[in-house]
Amino acid sequence: CRVREERDGEVRLKENALAMQAGLREQITQLQLIHKKLEATHRKDKKTLLATLTELQDDRNTRSVQQEALEVRIRQLQLENKELQAALEQQRQELQKQNSKLEEKPEEIKTEKRACAVNHCRLGSGRKLESQANQ
């Protein structure tokens, strides 16, 4: 009876061990499937990240080129501005010289105005005489 119980116990142990092995095999299979899915996801994510990185680098390069172009344009505008300021200063100085010359000659201008006025009066008187003679 005891031998039989021992044999039954051994059989139950073997059956339990086989059941545990089957359960472990099932878990291993499930873990392998999960592992494959994770690897596939990892590859996909890696490709996406590389594409994004490439795009960001391209954007950065584009911005760098644009920034260089803007810096060149700024330098051009600064040079143009300096040239325009120099020309403006030259014109200002010329106008100041002309103004100074005019300020130095107020008496000459008054004399010329008087001469013009006298000539105008003479012409006007001559016209009056002429018109009287014609009448």
Side-chain angles (χ1 to χ4, degrees):
C1 196
R2 209 182 225 191
V3 173
R4 187 173 190 198
E5 285 178 10
E6 285 178 14
R7 246 191 247 162
D8 286 345
E10 287 176 14
V11 170
R12 272 189 246 129
L13 284 175
K14 284 182 184 180
E15 287 174 354
N16 286 341
L18 290 174
M20 286 176 67
Q21 283 180 341
L24 290 173
R25 281 189 199 113
E26 180 62 29
Q27 286 180 350
I28 289 170
T29 303
Q30 289 176 358
L31 288 173
Q32 287 173 338
L33 288 173
I34 291 170
H35 179 72
K36 285 181 182 180
K37 287 179 183 178
L38 287 174
E39 282 181 333
T41 302
H42 175 71
R43 282 191 300 273
K44 183 180 173 185
D45 289 349
K46 186 177 178 180
K47 286 179 184 178
T48 302
L49 287 173
L50 287 174
T52 302
L53 179 61
T54 302
E55 187 178 320
L56 289 172
Q57 287 172 337
D58 290 347
D59 287 350
R60 184 177 65 192
N61 291 339
T62 301
R63 279 193 304 272
S64 178
V65 168
Q66 289 172 342
Q67 183 176 356
E68 288 176 22
L70 286 173
E71 288 172 358
V72 167
R73 183 65 180 138
I74 286 169
R75 286 192 291 276
Q76 288 173 340
L77 290 173
Q78 287 171 338
L79 288 174
E80 288 177 23
N81 189 29
K82 285 181 183 179
E83 291 171 359
L84 290 172
Q85 285 178 340
L88 184 64
E89 179 60 24
Q90 184 179 1
Q91 286 179 348
R92 188 188 64 78
Q93 289 175 357
E94 288 175 13
L95 288 173
Q96 266 186 333
K97 286 178 187 176
Q98 291 175 2
N99 192 26
S100 296
K101 287 179 185 176
L102 290 175
E103 287 175 355
E104 290 172 2
K105 300 181 181 183
E107 286 305 315
E108 291 177 26
I109 293 171
K110 285 181 185 176
T111 305
E112 284 181 32
K113 283 184 180 178
R114 280 188 207 126
C116 287
V118 168
N119 285 336
H120 182 71
C121 286
R122 284 185 192 153
L123 289 173
S125 298
R127 285 185 190 150
K128 284 181 186 177
L129 292 174
E130 226 178 273
S131 73
Q132 286 174 358
N134 288 336
Q135 287 178 357

